[in-house]
Amino acid sequence: MNKNRQKIVVVGLGYIGLPTASMLATKGHQVLGVDINEAAVNTINSGKIHIVEPDLDILVRSAVNSGNLRASLVPEEADTFILAVPTPFKSGKEGPEKIPDISFIEAATRAIAPFLREGNLVILESTSPVGTTERIGEIIAELRPDLINAKCKTQHSTLIFIAHCPERVLPGHIIRELVDNDRIIGGLDKASAEKARDLYKTFCNGGIFLTDSKTAEMAKLVENSSRDVNIAFANELSMICDKLGINVWELIGLANKHPRVNILQPGPGVGGHCIAVDPWFIVAAAPNEARMIRTAREVNDAKPTWVLDKVIAKSTRFKNPVIGCLGLAFKANIDDLRESPAMCITRDLINAGVGRVMACEPNAHDGFKEFPLFELGEVLREADILLLLVDHEEFQGVDRELLKEKVLIDTRGVWR
Ligand code: SAJ
């Protein structure tokens, strides 16, 4: 029996909330998962899952079977409340800027407020703009003045604890990374951070590092921005090398032989719902200062158009070109199409009407109806131009003999 056994409410049962809730349940905590999606709640209560993630089905089944995990549409009283709801973005007034939308976090805070009691801990896991954890404190102070004395925020005048513990797991490896990754916990005060650390210690084998809430919020945004800036460097190199007739993958491989150089890989652009979004939260907070972060976003966002123009230019060689688009997901060996540059390029090619487009996505769901999909063999046989967009393992193994007569545009360097 876990001696720190708690009653925990997890609000938001998506890619972060559901693995976290079920992990806590398997460690002996009594967990109630809350979501506004009734179908998801019913699926989870029957021990099944509504999202795709390796091994999550096993974890959820065992959590539900143990009696420690239940799902519901409404919260209950508990010791700890974890918020893992989305932080989407709204488009800015001008240009490509994206403005963070924290309305789901605000709504989740309002939903739990009536159930809070003295001594409770509230943890924000969602990737959030700087200041969001403090905003949670303000909302609770407004709705529950009995728990927070808003007038003396700087002193430890609260009867509840509030902390930010940003999620860091990589889709496709969530269960392993949930246990193994180091975590950063930022408290509204030291006591909040320490209380959150005690809970995370019950399932996290990585180091746990304490700070204030604003630094923790910024650390998460910086992690994803760092990756975005580094990918932008690789994407910029790929365009420079194309102009100069140099193989960018050979070049990066050679440059990376230097002990202090580690260039990432170019691609058709940056996709997913984190790295292509979070840097904008920093730009929105400090527009005049975040010059490199903004430029990196612009470089990465411009790459799909560069690829599209390349395909269109090559297709003028053919009277009725057949263009095979290999991969639609935002990265290798997953099914996720959100913010995927491969999807954008394929859609734009179809709309441009330059030829017949044959798209192939080995991980597509049966429900995919936007345009027809083809088997890999069929595409390899019929296409004049092969556009490799995702480095799925199926494409890595293609017999190079079959590629000999084709025009190849390999955005991932798989067939280099
Ligand atoms: N990509 C490249 N070149 C590279 C690496 C990636 O073009 O060298 C592209 C991928 O193809 C993809 C995009 O970048 O389109 C993002 O993929 P990713 O694997 O880098 O990251 P995500 O979005 O799946 O997950 C990231 C992770 N953050 C970091 O690695 C710093 C993960 O740990 C976070 O938890 C997640 O964002 C999140 O939820 O914020």
Side-chain angles (χ1 to χ4, degrees):
M1 173 76 92
N2 179 351
K3 66 177 179 1
N4 294 317
R5 190 172 199 263
Q6 294 192 20
K7 166 92 183 274
I8 301 169
V9 165
V10 178
V11 184
L13 294 173
Y15 283 90
I16 304 302
L18 184 56
T20 306
S22 33
M23 181 65 73
L24 287 163
T26 58
K27 298 292 173 187
H29 299 288
Q30 194 198 333
V31 183
L32 177 75
V34 176
D35 204 288
I36 51 172
N37 177 347
E38 193 171 353
V41 165
N42 293 336
T43 306
I44 293 161
N45 278 331
S46 67
K48 301 200 176 78
I49 56 173
H50 61 296
I51 50 181
V52 179
E53 176 60 33
D55 300 331
L56 181 61
D57 52 346
I58 302 167
L59 191 70
V60 170
R61 199 184 319 128
S62 88
V64 171
N65 287 345
S66 72
N68 282 344
L69 177 66
R70 289 179 296 127
S72 166
L73 293 167
V74 281
E76 290 172 6
E77 288 196 343
D79 302 303
T80 295
F81 294 81
I82 297 178
L83 309 183
V85 293
T87 336
F89 53 81
K90 308 180 259 201
S91 286
K93 287 205 181 69
E94 44 199 88
E97 287 86 358
K98 295 181 171 79
I99 314 288
D101 171 6
I102 62 163
S103 59
F104 288 96
I105 295 173
E106 292 176 328
T109 307
R110 291 181 194 285
I112 61 165
F115 300 94
L116 293 173
R117 291 174 319 206
E118 184 178 335
N120 278 173
L121 170 65
V122 178
I123 298 173
L124 173 67
E125 280 244 6
S126 320
T127 304
S128 304
V130 172
T132 308
T133 313
E134 287 176 349
R135 175 78 192 120
I136 289 176
E138 283 166 16
I139 294 173
I140 296 174
E142 175 198 313
L143 298 176
R144 296 294 306 274
D146 55 317
L147 292 175
I148 299 186
N149 180 355
K151 289 203 185 95
C152 335
K153 238 186 333 189
T154 49
Q155 288 152 25
H156 183 56
S157 59
T158 65
L159 297 176
I160 59 162
F161 302 87
I162 303 174
H164 180 44
C165 183
E167 60 91 0
R168 283 179 144 177
V169 286
L170 192 69
H173 302 269
I174 289 179
I175 309 299
R176 178 175 54 77
E177 291 209 351
L178 203 53
V179 174
D180 290 344
N181 286 2
D182 291 348
R183 301 293 296 243
I184 296 172
I185 298 182
L188 278 194
D189 51 27
K190 196 162 167 259
S192 298
E194 286 171 354
K195 205 166 163 62
R197 177 192 53 201
D198 292 344
L199 175 63
Y200 280 77
K201 261 189 180 167
T202 63
F203 69 91
C204 176
N205 289 342
I208 301 180
F209 300 90
L210 305 191
T211 182
D212 58 80
S213 64
K214 282 166 77 170
T215 308
E217 286 158 349
M218 189 63 172
K220 170 59 201 249
L221 300 179
V222 162
E223 288 160 21
N224 281 355
S225 297
S226 153
R227 201 148 163 86
D228 197 45
V229 168
N230 283 294
I231 298 168
F233 182 68
N235 276 333
E236 185 164 297
L237 282 182
S238 73
M239 295 184 276
I240 296 170
C241 285
D242 188 74
K243 195 169 201 164
L244 303 182
I246 293 169
N247 180 320
V248 70
W249 287 279
E250 183 191 358
L251 173 86
I252 290 175
L254 292 171
N256 283 349
K257 300 280 180 218
H258 186 287
R260 284 175 296 284
V261 174
N262 186 15
I263 304 169
L264 294 180
Q265 298 299 302
V270 170
H273 35 101
C274 306
I275 293 188
V277 175
D278 300 349
W280 287 120
F281 293 8
I282 301 179
V283 176
N288 295 328
E289 294 76 14
R291 291 186 301 160
M292 201 166 74
I293 296 173
R294 170 200 290 272
T295 304
R297 272 286 71 242
E298 288 169 353
V299 168
N300 286 332
D301 271 355
K303 190 75 192 285
T305 309
W306 184 86
V307 173
L308 184 71
D309 290 346
K310 216 162 183 53
V311 181
I312 292 174
K314 296 272 187 201
S315 62
T316 54
R317 288 194 204 164
F318 300 89
K319 206 163 156 222
N320 296 307
V322 179
I323 303 162
C325 292
L326 298 186
L328 295 174
F330 86 80
K331 64 178 186 177
N333 308 322
I334 59 164
D335 63 336
D336 197 337
L337 303 179
R338 286 178 292 178
E339 314 286 322
S340 169
M343 254 318 264
C344 273
I345 293 166
T346 306
R347 195 182 278 140
D348 287 354
L349 264 179
I350 293 170
N351 293 337
V354 282
R356 179 170 176 235
V357 175
M358 297 177 77
C360 169
E361 174 46 73
N363 302 324
H365 294 275
D366 293 341
F368 184 86
K369 296 275 177 282
E370 185 175 332
F371 43 77
L373 296 179
F374 297 85
E375 294 295 326
L376 177 57
E378 222 178 336
V379 179
L380 291 175
R381 248 187 336 269
E382 293 186 34
D384 304 306
I385 299 174
L386 280 174
L387 172 61
L388 188 128
L389 292 166
V390 188
D391 41 344
H392 287 319
E393 57 195 19
E394 290 84 350
F395 306 149
Q396 307 209 11
V398 166
D399 179 358
R400 302 301 189 265
E401 281 296 307
L402 300 172
L403 306 178
K404 271 191 169 159
E405 308 294 315
K406 317 276 182 190
V407 172
L408 303 181
I409 303 175
D410 177 359
T411 68
R412 299 277 186 175
V414 167
W415 300 326
R416 70 189 94 150

